[in-house]
Amino acid sequence: MIGADHVHDAATVRRRQRQFVPPSELHPDLVTRADTVLLDQLFYATVDECHECRSAFLDRVADDVWSTRKLVDWACFITSETYCGLPAELVDEEASADTVFRPSATFRRLAAEYHNSGPTNAIYDTCTAAERREAADTAVALVDGLQVWGADFLYQ
């Protein structure tokens, strides 16, 4: 819990049009140093539309390179499954200019790395905490949008 008098977990999620598994359940057999409990709470706070908790969780994720990577990988995996690959709108600034959803510059850079060569730790190590926060914010917003709108999300 983040100083609020409530929690966010699978039981609290209000919208159920389409439900993705939380980050902790994506490749759970892989050993990771990511704080998957924190990432799950961020996802559930986003779906619950609790902006106070979401902001606090984003601040904590931004301090952790491994958690940011897990979150961005999770969003890229779900998006790739939804669209049979990452759409240009998520990796190219010009392509995203006409979409309702505007991915951050850092997310586009990390998604392009994911798309082109698979994720590597080196690119995350070069990001500042502010860049990791913006990428994490984009990642959870993307998955939440896909959950509500499905494949129409980028093209509404």
Side-chain angles (χ1 to χ4, degrees):
M1 187 161 26
I2 297 271
D5 59 354
H6 59 276
V7 296
H8 299 279
D9 57 27
T12 68
V13 176
R14 291 189 299 257
R15 290 189 310 227
R16 301 252 183 222
Q17 287 94 347
R18 181 174 182 180
Q19 185 174 340
F20 294 111
V21 298
S24 66
E25 294 181 32
L26 178 64
H27 309 300
D29 54 328
L30 296 178
V31 176
T32 181
R33 291 191 275 178
D35 185 345
T36 55
V37 171
L38 171 64
L39 298 180
D40 289 357
Q41 291 173 326
L42 172 59
F43 171 60
Y44 294 133
T46 300
V47 173
D48 280 344
E49 297 178 357
C50 183
H51 303 290
E52 178 185 350
C53 289
R54 183 172 186 261
S55 181
F57 290 135
L58 282 168
D59 290 341
R60 289 183 49 201
V61 169
D63 290 333
D64 183 359
V65 171
W66 289 94
S67 292
T68 304
R69 178 181 172 180
K70 175 85 173 178
L71 191 61
V72 171
D73 288 356
W74 170 72
C76 288
F77 176 80
I78 288 171
T79 304
S80 293
E81 291 292 306
T82 301
Y83 295 108
C84 297
L86 283 178
E89 290 81 1
L90 296 180
V91 297
D92 181 272
E93 183 176 7
E94 289 181 30
S96 68
D98 294 330
T99 61
V100 173
F101 180 74
R102 299 278 169 78
S104 70
T106 303
F107 181 86
R108 284 193 313 269
R109 184 167 47 101
L110 298 172
E113 182 78 12
Y114 179 94
H115 177 71
N116 294 328
S117 61
T120 63
N121 286 339
I123 193 167
Y124 287 86
D125 290 336
T126 64
C127 293
T128 65
E131 289 171 326
R132 287 191 301 272
R133 189 183 197 285
E134 102 182 359
D137 187 26
T138 299
V140 294
L142 174 60
V143 173
D144 187 43
L146 290 171
Q147 180 168 265
V148 174
W149 297 99
D152 292 338
F153 177 58
L154 293 180
Y155 307 105
Q156 7 176 356

